[in-house]
Amino acid sequence: GMFAPVIGSRFFVGFRGTPKLSSEGVGFVSLTGDFRHYIRIWDYLNIALRGTLGGSFGPNPRRFFLGGTENWFNATFRDNLLPFDQPEDFAFMEFIMPMRGFTINELNGSKFFLSNIELRFPIFGALIAGPIPLLFQNIMGAFFLDIGGAWDDDFYATRKNQFNETVPRHLLMSAGVGARTYILGLPLKFDIAWKNLYHTWSEPHYLFSLGFDY
């Protein structure tokens, strides 16, 4: 397809680790898996399904940072900080995306899962560049649902806040709509996402990012 596959399946299994060779060293084993399936309904109308999960184990398990989207122009970070405490956090960093509507590092933990569902459809398909290049070349739309979580030991989907309202703890959900196009040959994405806060939905969050879809 123009921005992502439209039919078939693909998967990825990853392993990374290092032995703890000294008292000041780092030792861990991380396992991750990613499966994607695409259902073509008609021409450019298709459904994209993705599921990924993983965990890190050992004396110094790595943390997975859940939230945000790739190549996010107007990105926000939890507490306005990058989630790095030690040099090895940078060396072995793994961001789990897209979890739209939430900040980068909204949740982190040694275990994670993320599922994404999108209905992708054409908005304008006739703006193909001809002898005179056009600023916009094709516009695709998408409805999406993101569900993910990150935790260390025990998993708790929700918690109560100071107003006794049910709010997310280790389980995040968001939904929204987006558009994809090429501007000057670059794939640009614009998404509007709403966070599910369990007792209500949030105000819309607007995301501009660069790159292809999963």
Side-chain angles (χ1 to χ4, degrees):
M2 293 181 294
F3 300 94
V6 296
I7 193 171
S9 302
R10 58 180 177 176
F11 68 91
F12 168 83
V13 176
F15 165 86
R16 68 193 309 186
T18 180
K20 191 177 181 71
L21 300 178
S22 68
S23 60
E24 298 181 355
V26 175
F28 72 92
V29 172
S30 295
L31 299 172
T32 57
D34 188 307
F35 178 78
R36 307 173 186 195
H37 184 62
Y38 307 91
I39 304 171
R40 186 171 185 176
I41 300 173
W42 174 78
D43 286 345
Y44 292 108
L45 179 65
N46 66 96
I47 297 174
L49 309 172
R50 176 188 179 229
T52 180
L53 75 167
S56 187
F57 311 91
N60 308 107
R62 298 294 87 205
R63 306 190 72 76
F64 301 94
F65 307 113
L66 177 67
T69 191
E70 298 87 350
N71 305 312
W72 186 5
F73 291 145
N74 55 326
T76 58
F77 298 83
R78 192 183 74 177
D79 302 325
N80 296 316
L81 295 174
L82 288 171
F84 304 138
D85 296 322
Q86 303 295 329
E88 56 267 23
D89 293 334
F90 180 80
F92 299 110
M93 64 180 179
E94 290 195 53
F95 291 99
I96 309 304
M97 301 172 172
M99 187 74 237
R100 288 157 285 198
F102 293 92
T103 63
I104 295 175
N105 189 34
E106 181 79 24
L107 284 180
N108 64 72
S110 59
K111 304 173 186 67
F112 80 92
F113 79 92
L114 175 62
S115 59
N116 308 103
I117 304 172
E118 288 193 7
L119 173 64
R120 297 169 178 168
F121 54 90
I123 298 177
F124 296 111
L127 301 180
I128 304 297
I132 301 177
L134 297 176
L135 181 61
F136 293 93
Q137 300 175 21
N138 293 315
I139 300 178
M140 293 287 293
F143 295 111
F144 61 83
L145 174 66
D146 300 334
I147 303 174
W151 69 99
D152 287 315
D153 297 319
D154 297 323
F155 178 87
Y156 299 97
T158 63
R159 63 178 177 86
K160 295 289 187 179
N161 64 12
Q162 65 268 32
F163 305 108
N164 201 36
E165 297 171 330
T166 301
V167 296
R169 182 172 179 183
H170 295 147
L171 180 64
L172 305 180
M173 292 187 286
S174 66
V177 61
R180 287 87 177 92
T181 188
Y182 284 93
I183 296 182
L184 301 177
L186 299 176
L188 180 68
K189 297 187 289 185
F190 170 62
D191 292 303
I192 306 174
W194 289 264
K195 296 188 291 188
N196 185 335
L197 303 176
Y198 289 88
H199 67 283
T200 186
W201 287 85
S202 74
E203 294 294 321
H205 296 263
Y206 303 94
L207 300 83
F208 294 90
S209 59
L210 193 67
F212 297 101
D213 285 315
Y214 63 82

